[in-house]
Amino acid sequence: MAPKRKGPLQSLQRETDDVRKMVDALEHDAAQPSGRDEADALQRCAQLLSTVEDQLRTAEKLTKADEPAPVGNYERRKQEEEERLRGLHARLRAVQRGIKPAEAPQPSTSGKARSTSGPGEVGESEEEDSEEEDESQEEEVVEEEEDDEDGEEEEEDDNDNDGGVSDLARPETQKKTLSYIALSTFKGEQDGDLAIEMGDVLQILSKNADGWWLAQDSKGDKGLVPKTYLKAQTEQEVEEEESEEEGDEIDKESKSKSKSPHSNWDAVRKAITEIDATDVLSAMGAIPAGFRPSTLSKLLDEGVTFRGSRYIQPELSQSNLSFKDLFLDPDTGKVRARSSRVCLSVSLWTCRMVPSPGVGLQVLSRHVRLCAFNGSQVLSNIHTVRATYNPKSAKTWSFSPRMSGQLSSLLDGDCFLRCDSDSPDLGILFELGVTYIRNSTGEQGDLSCGWAFLKLFDASGAPVPLRTYELTLHGGTPYETDVEMDPSMTRRAGAGSVFQQMMASRKVPKLVVKLRTPNHRNMSHLNLLPDTLVGSVCSVHLLALYRQLLADTLLLDRVTMQNADLICSSVLATFPEVLDQSDLLDALRSSWENAEKNLKRSEKRDMSILKREFVRVYMDYVFPLFYSAEMPGPRWADEEVANQRALLDS
């Protein structure tokens, strides 16, 4: 039987293990106080540095397509290997700085005098000349050593400009962002906006929390631009551009000859990887022209700023001495109900004629993300609802599928929206998205398949009617205008007879949603929640119980409002994070539903019993899962991780 072939990544891992052993031995030898050969140690260190740099270049070029067999978590393993090599590179640099080269014997110029005058016939003047020459030679040696150090620094800078390894070995904290590059054209929507073209280099003067940044272009014009249109430019990229403009062609040729012959290909490969993946897929015809990188997905990846775990927590007042949206009714001992400007139930029904990605992409998830939006900034958390579809009709998405048992909150299309913003342009932003993986490279990403905006107030400030709406999906991002999902469809709709135009209009991508007033029970629960929040209707009663526990701990049980003692509550500390993990929230819903069945009717009306039972259910069923060592961390659209978590949840 033929031996199993090793992949490039596995071979690199074994080579790194061998280099690590040699680095350990070198560090041990260099640490010896006496009996070491500095010249030999420096030579070994230089050889190992060269080996590590070659391996880093090799690691850069590795792709998943090079593997002879599928490799799980390939990108993470490759990243770990690169980090190991950077660590070895830093250790070797430290050893190199710690070793002082042996002082070489200085050449004596008095030998010439001896050869002409004979042995023992050197005069006093010749001895003085030789001493002066020795001193001048020592000064020259010192200057040469300084020149060598400067030369090494210049070579490292050259390596940075050529896409070499020294930048990989540099810590991430040293890569300072100096400017930003415009990813798309922005013409400005109102006064104060800065019009930019794709590829413009901008200097950011200030970053506002609402997502609009104050920028200055190369002409000196200043204005606001949305941050989703910008891409950070590192110090390395700026130095490369300056070197291209000011560099000498002769110096570049000499440096390229002294370095690896693959340096030109490294530069080409780096330029290709800097191109946005969506542009590549669009040029290949793998996605429609109106697809863009998901705007709301990027906001979710930035942290907890736009997650429900942040918005469910109480907000401090301007004085920071009380709460702005959490009050206790002294008569009933319950949370005081608060109305909001907008409190609606939003039902996602279906999406029709949604374009599908090409055959080169494997779709992992189809979903709709929604949030409160005023045309320029996101005003609430971002809520995600996963869609289902029939492979025979892949252009139609549906929500809230019928199934036996409890419907997952991730699949539930019945949502609620509370928002207290006084913006006249307040509305709901819907973004259709897909999470994909490229079959050729294994690259994973999120695409926007279109977006729609439903304004909740008309020009006079009156609320829009609560009914069913068919919203036309637009291409591009919410900050772009007049971008079509499929331009060919519009051309067909504008030509031909009236009947042909009617038939073509039926093929326009649309999202069907329904606005309605929540029922009395849900409305009573929603009025206990924060002024701004978006979520699933099926979990409203759990959120209301959590807010009641918050009020008891923060308002009722405290001696005074100035009391600053630490509060120890496992439920209050972890529930917001559970809200961001739909499977744990479903486990809590199921456990609470079973516990409610065992309560008497009178006990269900007693808030103290309900709160005590809620804490017991949470600590018995959810809290152990949250801190279980066997529970893998949540990963969006990862079926393997979802199955492992489902086994523990059950």
Side-chain angles (χ1 to χ4, degrees), residues 574-575 578 584-589 591 616-628:
T574 58
F575 184 87
V578 171
L584 293 183
L585 188 61
D586 293 337
L588 178 59
R589 286 175 50 213
S591 302
R616 184 193 66 80
V617 170
Y618 185 89
M619 296 303 296
D620 289 347
Y621 296 100
V622 179
F623 188 77
L625 291 175
F626 188 78
Y627 283 106
S628 174

PDB file of all heavy atoms in Angstrom, residues 574-575 578 584-589 591 616-628:
ATOM      1  N   THR A 574     -25.247  36.923  32.894  1.00  0.00           N
ATOM      2  CA  THR A 574     -25.101  36.093  31.689  1.00  0.00           C
ATOM      3  C   THR A 574     -26.292  36.145  30.754  1.00  0.00           C
ATOM      4  O   THR A 574     -26.162  35.777  29.589  1.00  0.00           O
ATOM      5  CB  THR A 574     -24.865  34.629  32.095  1.00  0.00           C
ATOM      6  OG1 THR A 574     -25.962  34.168  32.911  1.00  0.00           O
ATOM      7  CG2 THR A 574     -23.569  34.490  32.887  1.00  0.00           C
ATOM      8  N   PHE A 575     -27.464  36.591  31.220  1.00  0.00           N
ATOM      9  CA  PHE A 575     -28.647  36.567  30.353  1.00  0.00           C
ATOM     10  C   PHE A 575     -28.464  37.407  29.089  1.00  0.00           C
ATOM     11  O   PHE A 575     -28.888  36.978  28.004  1.00  0.00           O
ATOM     12  CB  PHE A 575     -29.885  37.029  31.129  1.00  0.00           C
ATOM     13  CG  PHE A 575     -31.157  36.946  30.338  1.00  0.00           C
ATOM     14  CD1 PHE A 575     -31.890  35.777  30.304  1.00  0.00           C
ATOM     15  CD2 PHE A 575     -31.610  38.034  29.601  1.00  0.00           C
ATOM     16  CE1 PHE A 575     -33.058  35.694  29.563  1.00  0.00           C
ATOM     17  CE2 PHE A 575     -32.771  37.964  28.856  1.00  0.00           C
ATOM     18  CZ  PHE A 575     -33.502  36.787  28.844  1.00  0.00           C
ATOM     19  N   VAL A 578     -26.769  35.324  26.588  1.00  0.00           N
ATOM     20  CA  VAL A 578     -27.634  34.244  26.108  1.00  0.00           C
ATOM     21  C   VAL A 578     -28.576  34.759  25.031  1.00  0.00           C
ATOM     22  O   VAL A 578     -28.933  34.038  24.091  1.00  0.00           O
ATOM     23  CB  VAL A 578     -28.414  33.632  27.291  1.00  0.00           C
ATOM     24  CG1 VAL A 578     -29.491  32.669  26.803  1.00  0.00           C
ATOM     25  CG2 VAL A 578     -27.463  32.913  28.232  1.00  0.00           C
ATOM     26  N   LEU A 584     -29.349  28.713  22.875  1.00  0.00           N
ATOM     27  CA  LEU A 584     -29.498  28.763  24.329  1.00  0.00           C
ATOM     28  C   LEU A 584     -30.809  29.437  24.718  1.00  0.00           C
ATOM     29  O   LEU A 584     -31.454  29.044  25.705  1.00  0.00           O
ATOM     30  CB  LEU A 584     -28.321  29.506  24.959  1.00  0.00           C
ATOM     31  CG  LEU A 584     -26.950  28.829  24.860  1.00  0.00           C
ATOM     32  CD1 LEU A 584     -25.909  29.649  25.602  1.00  0.00           C
ATOM     33  CD2 LEU A 584     -27.003  27.416  25.414  1.00  0.00           C
ATOM     34  N   LEU A 585     -31.224  30.448  23.961  1.00  0.00           N
ATOM     35  CA  LEU A 585     -32.503  31.088  24.234  1.00  0.00           C
ATOM     36  C   LEU A 585     -33.656  30.118  23.991  1.00  0.00           C
ATOM     37  O   LEU A 585     -34.647  30.116  24.748  1.00  0.00           O
ATOM     38  CB  LEU A 585     -32.648  32.327  23.351  1.00  0.00           C
ATOM     39  CG  LEU A 585     -33.837  33.233  23.638  1.00  0.00           C
ATOM     40  CD1 LEU A 585     -33.761  33.798  25.056  1.00  0.00           C
ATOM     41  CD2 LEU A 585     -33.912  34.368  22.619  1.00  0.00           C
ATOM     42  N   ASP A 586     -33.540  29.262  22.978  1.00  0.00           N
ATOM     43  CA  ASP A 586     -34.567  28.248  22.735  1.00  0.00           C
ATOM     44  C   ASP A 586     -34.605  27.213  23.854  1.00  0.00           C
ATOM     45  O   ASP A 586     -35.686  26.740  24.235  1.00  0.00           O
ATOM     46  CB  ASP A 586     -34.308  27.555  21.395  1.00  0.00           C
ATOM     47  CG  ASP A 586     -34.503  28.492  20.216  1.00  0.00           C
ATOM     48  OD1 ASP A 586     -35.234  29.489  20.373  1.00  0.00           O
ATOM     49  OD2 ASP A 586     -33.908  28.234  19.152  1.00  0.00           O
ATOM     50  N   ALA A 587     -33.423  26.852  24.382  1.00  0.00           N
ATOM     51  CA  ALA A 587     -33.388  25.915  25.504  1.00  0.00           C
ATOM     52  C   ALA A 587     -34.076  26.522  26.727  1.00  0.00           C
ATOM     53  O   ALA A 587     -34.802  25.817  27.457  1.00  0.00           O
ATOM     54  CB  ALA A 587     -31.942  25.549  25.838  1.00  0.00           C
ATOM     55  N   LEU A 588     -33.889  27.822  26.962  1.00  0.00           N
ATOM     56  CA  LEU A 588     -34.569  28.482  28.070  1.00  0.00           C
ATOM     57  C   LEU A 588     -36.073  28.539  27.836  1.00  0.00           C
ATOM     58  O   LEU A 588     -36.869  28.315  28.772  1.00  0.00           O
ATOM     59  CB  LEU A 588     -33.999  29.894  28.242  1.00  0.00           C
ATOM     60  CG  LEU A 588     -34.627  30.756  29.342  1.00  0.00           C
ATOM     61  CD1 LEU A 588     -34.481  30.078  30.699  1.00  0.00           C
ATOM     62  CD2 LEU A 588     -34.001  32.144  29.360  1.00  0.00           C
ATOM     63  N   ARG A 589     -36.496  28.820  26.624  1.00  0.00           N
ATOM     64  CA  ARG A 589     -37.932  28.845  26.311  1.00  0.00           C
ATOM     65  C   ARG A 589     -38.574  27.497  26.556  1.00  0.00           C
ATOM     66  O   ARG A 589     -39.652  27.404  27.173  1.00  0.00           O
ATOM     67  CB  ARG A 589     -38.139  29.247  24.852  1.00  0.00           C
ATOM     68  CG  ARG A 589     -37.914  30.712  24.539  1.00  0.00           C
ATOM     69  CD  ARG A 589     -38.025  30.966  23.051  1.00  0.00           C
ATOM     70  NE  ARG A 589     -39.247  30.392  22.504  1.00  0.00           N
ATOM     71  CZ  ARG A 589     -39.373  29.894  21.282  1.00  0.00           C
ATOM     72  NH1 ARG A 589     -38.334  29.851  20.475  1.00  0.00           N
ATOM     73  NH2 ARG A 589     -40.520  29.423  20.864  1.00  0.00           N
ATOM     74  N   SER A 591     -37.508  24.991  28.477  1.00  0.00           N
ATOM     75  CA  SER A 591     -37.500  24.642  29.904  1.00  0.00           C
ATOM     76  C   SER A 591     -38.539  25.456  30.672  1.00  0.00           C
ATOM     77  O   SER A 591     -39.218  24.932  31.568  1.00  0.00           O
ATOM     78  CB  SER A 591     -36.101  24.880  30.488  1.00  0.00           C
ATOM     79  OG  SER A 591     -35.126  24.133  29.794  1.00  0.00           O
ATOM     80  N   ARG A 616     -34.674  29.560  39.026  1.00  0.00           N
ATOM     81  CA  ARG A 616     -34.359  28.134  39.184  1.00  0.00           C
ATOM     82  C   ARG A 616     -34.180  27.460  37.822  1.00  0.00           C
ATOM     83  O   ARG A 616     -33.227  26.700  37.611  1.00  0.00           O
ATOM     84  CB  ARG A 616     -35.482  27.440  39.970  1.00  0.00           C
ATOM     85  CG  ARG A 616     -35.202  25.960  40.262  1.00  0.00           C
ATOM     86  CD  ARG A 616     -36.445  25.246  40.744  1.00  0.00           C
ATOM     87  NE  ARG A 616     -37.469  25.173  39.703  1.00  0.00           N
ATOM     88  CZ  ARG A 616     -37.452  24.274  38.726  1.00  0.00           C
ATOM     89  NH1 ARG A 616     -36.462  23.383  38.629  1.00  0.00           N
ATOM     90  NH2 ARG A 616     -38.425  24.254  37.824  1.00  0.00           N
ATOM     91  N   VAL A 617     -35.092  27.718  36.899  1.00  0.00           N
ATOM     92  CA  VAL A 617     -35.005  27.104  35.566  1.00  0.00           C
ATOM     93  C   VAL A 617     -33.735  27.550  34.856  1.00  0.00           C
ATOM     94  O   VAL A 617     -33.025  26.746  34.222  1.00  0.00           O
ATOM     95  CB  VAL A 617     -36.259  27.455  34.741  1.00  0.00           C
ATOM     96  CG1 VAL A 617     -36.082  27.037  33.288  1.00  0.00           C
ATOM     97  CG2 VAL A 617     -37.479  26.787  35.337  1.00  0.00           C
ATOM     98  N   TYR A 618     -33.426  28.834  34.967  1.00  0.00           N
ATOM     99  CA  TYR A 618     -32.237  29.354  34.289  1.00  0.00           C
ATOM    100  C   TYR A 618     -30.970  28.712  34.846  1.00  0.00           C
ATOM    101  O   TYR A 618     -30.092  28.295  34.084  1.00  0.00           O
ATOM    102  CB  TYR A 618     -32.180  30.878  34.453  1.00  0.00           C
ATOM    103  CG  TYR A 618     -31.054  31.536  33.686  1.00  0.00           C
ATOM    104  CD1 TYR A 618     -31.229  31.957  32.379  1.00  0.00           C
ATOM    105  CD2 TYR A 618     -29.797  31.733  34.271  1.00  0.00           C
ATOM    106  CE1 TYR A 618     -30.199  32.560  31.675  1.00  0.00           C
ATOM    107  CE2 TYR A 618     -28.767  32.332  33.582  1.00  0.00           C
ATOM    108  CZ  TYR A 618     -28.972  32.745  32.286  1.00  0.00           C
ATOM    109  OH  TYR A 618     -27.951  33.324  31.590  1.00  0.00           O
ATOM    110  N   MET A 619     -30.843  28.620  36.143  1.00  0.00           N
ATOM    111  CA  MET A 619     -29.640  28.065  36.763  1.00  0.00           C
ATOM    112  C   MET A 619     -29.533  26.560  36.564  1.00  0.00           C
ATOM    113  O   MET A 619     -28.430  26.013  36.543  1.00  0.00           O
ATOM    114  CB  MET A 619     -29.617  28.406  38.249  1.00  0.00           C
ATOM    115  CG  MET A 619     -29.530  29.902  38.549  1.00  0.00           C
ATOM    116  SD  MET A 619     -28.082  30.693  37.808  1.00  0.00           S
ATOM    117  CE  MET A 619     -26.762  29.842  38.678  1.00  0.00           C
ATOM    118  N   ASP A 620     -30.650  25.865  36.400  1.00  0.00           N
ATOM    119  CA  ASP A 620     -30.617  24.410  36.237  1.00  0.00           C
ATOM    120  C   ASP A 620     -30.341  23.988  34.801  1.00  0.00           C
ATOM    121  O   ASP A 620     -29.693  22.956  34.571  1.00  0.00           O
ATOM    122  CB  ASP A 620     -31.944  23.792  36.705  1.00  0.00           C
ATOM    123  CG  ASP A 620     -32.096  23.848  38.218  1.00  0.00           C
ATOM    124  OD1 ASP A 620     -31.093  24.128  38.900  1.00  0.00           O
ATOM    125  OD2 ASP A 620     -33.216  23.624  38.715  1.00  0.00           O
ATOM    126  N   TYR A 621     -30.817  24.752  33.830  1.00  0.00           N
ATOM    127  CA  TYR A 621     -30.780  24.277  32.448  1.00  0.00           C
ATOM    128  C   TYR A 621     -29.896  25.117  31.519  1.00  0.00           C
ATOM    129  O   TYR A 621     -29.305  24.573  30.577  1.00  0.00           O
ATOM    130  CB  TYR A 621     -32.202  24.240  31.861  1.00  0.00           C
ATOM    131  CG  TYR A 621     -33.111  23.260  32.571  1.00  0.00           C
ATOM    132  CD1 TYR A 621     -34.012  23.698  33.523  1.00  0.00           C
ATOM    133  CD2 TYR A 621     -33.056  21.897  32.290  1.00  0.00           C
ATOM    134  CE1 TYR A 621     -34.849  22.804  34.185  1.00  0.00           C
ATOM    135  CE2 TYR A 621     -33.880  20.992  32.942  1.00  0.00           C
ATOM    136  CZ  TYR A 621     -34.776  21.451  33.894  1.00  0.00           C
ATOM    137  OH  TYR A 621     -35.587  20.561  34.542  1.00  0.00           O
ATOM    138  N   VAL A 622     -29.812  26.419  31.745  1.00  0.00           N
ATOM    139  CA  VAL A 622     -29.100  27.286  30.800  1.00  0.00           C
ATOM    140  C   VAL A 622     -27.709  27.652  31.296  1.00  0.00           C
ATOM    141  O   VAL A 622     -26.733  27.585  30.541  1.00  0.00           O
ATOM    142  CB  VAL A 622     -29.929  28.567  30.525  1.00  0.00           C
ATOM    143  CG1 VAL A 622     -29.189  29.487  29.555  1.00  0.00           C
ATOM    144  CG2 VAL A 622     -31.277  28.206  29.970  1.00  0.00           C
ATOM    145  N   PHE A 623     -27.591  28.038  32.546  1.00  0.00           N
ATOM    146  CA  PHE A 623     -26.301  28.463  33.076  1.00  0.00           C
ATOM    147  C   PHE A 623     -25.224  27.380  32.954  1.00  0.00           C
ATOM    148  O   PHE A 623     -24.088  27.678  32.569  1.00  0.00           O
ATOM    149  CB  PHE A 623     -26.463  28.902  34.534  1.00  0.00           C
ATOM    150  CG  PHE A 623     -25.232  29.539  35.116  1.00  0.00           C
ATOM    151  CD1 PHE A 623     -24.898  30.850  34.810  1.00  0.00           C
ATOM    152  CD2 PHE A 623     -24.389  28.834  35.955  1.00  0.00           C
ATOM    153  CE1 PHE A 623     -23.766  31.447  35.334  1.00  0.00           C
ATOM    154  CE2 PHE A 623     -23.251  29.411  36.487  1.00  0.00           C
ATOM    155  CZ  PHE A 623     -22.943  30.722  36.165  1.00  0.00           C
ATOM    156  N   PRO A 624     -25.530  26.093  33.251  1.00  0.00           N
ATOM    157  CA  PRO A 624     -24.495  25.058  33.051  1.00  0.00           C
ATOM    158  C   PRO A 624     -24.058  24.927  31.598  1.00  0.00           C
ATOM    159  O   PRO A 624     -22.888  24.651  31.323  1.00  0.00           O
ATOM    160  CB  PRO A 624     -25.176  23.773  33.559  1.00  0.00           C
ATOM    161  CG  PRO A 624     -26.245  24.244  34.484  1.00  0.00           C
ATOM    162  CD  PRO A 624     -26.736  25.527  33.908  1.00  0.00           C
ATOM    163  N   LEU A 625     -24.989  25.116  30.652  1.00  0.00           N
ATOM    164  CA  LEU A 625     -24.608  25.037  29.236  1.00  0.00           C
ATOM    165  C   LEU A 625     -23.722  26.215  28.844  1.00  0.00           C
ATOM    166  O   LEU A 625     -22.796  26.065  28.037  1.00  0.00           O
ATOM    167  CB  LEU A 625     -25.865  25.028  28.360  1.00  0.00           C
ATOM    168  CG  LEU A 625     -26.744  23.777  28.427  1.00  0.00           C
ATOM    169  CD1 LEU A 625     -28.008  23.990  27.604  1.00  0.00           C
ATOM    170  CD2 LEU A 625     -25.993  22.551  27.938  1.00  0.00           C
ATOM    171  N   PHE A 626     -23.991  27.362  29.413  1.00  0.00           N
ATOM    172  CA  PHE A 626     -23.244  28.576  29.053  1.00  0.00           C
ATOM    173  C   PHE A 626     -21.773  28.439  29.419  1.00  0.00           C
ATOM    174  O   PHE A 626     -20.900  28.920  28.689  1.00  0.00           O
ATOM    175  CB  PHE A 626     -23.868  29.778  29.759  1.00  0.00           C
ATOM    176  CG  PHE A 626     -23.301  31.096  29.321  1.00  0.00           C
ATOM    177  CD1 PHE A 626     -23.684  31.667  28.122  1.00  0.00           C
ATOM    178  CD2 PHE A 626     -22.374  31.757  30.098  1.00  0.00           C
ATOM    179  CE1 PHE A 626     -23.166  32.880  27.709  1.00  0.00           C
ATOM    180  CE2 PHE A 626     -21.845  32.969  29.698  1.00  0.00           C
ATOM    181  CZ  PHE A 626     -22.239  33.531  28.495  1.00  0.00           C
ATOM    182  N   TYR A 627     -21.477  27.763  30.525  1.00  0.00           N
ATOM    183  CA  TYR A 627     -20.096  27.619  30.975  1.00  0.00           C
ATOM    184  C   TYR A 627     -19.589  26.181  30.825  1.00  0.00           C
ATOM    185  O   TYR A 627     -18.603  25.811  31.451  1.00  0.00           O
ATOM    186  CB  TYR A 627     -19.965  28.060  32.437  1.00  0.00           C
ATOM    187  CG  TYR A 627     -19.966  29.554  32.609  1.00  0.00           C
ATOM    188  CD1 TYR A 627     -21.071  30.218  33.119  1.00  0.00           C
ATOM    189  CD2 TYR A 627     -18.858  30.312  32.242  1.00  0.00           C
ATOM    190  CE1 TYR A 627     -21.074  31.598  33.266  1.00  0.00           C
ATOM    191  CE2 TYR A 627     -18.850  31.683  32.385  1.00  0.00           C
ATOM    192  CZ  TYR A 627     -19.958  32.326  32.894  1.00  0.00           C
ATOM    193  OH  TYR A 627     -19.950  33.690  33.034  1.00  0.00           O
ATOM    194  N   SER A 628     -20.257  25.387  30.020  1.00  0.00           N
ATOM    195  CA  SER A 628     -19.819  24.010  29.826  1.00  0.00           C
ATOM    196  C   SER A 628     -18.547  23.974  28.979  1.00  0.00           C
ATOM    197  O   SER A 628     -18.456  24.648  27.940  1.00  0.00           O
ATOM    198  CB  SER A 628     -20.929  23.198  29.150  1.00  0.00           C
ATOM    199  OG  SER A 628     -20.466  21.904  28.830  1.00  0.00           O
TER     200      SER A 628
END
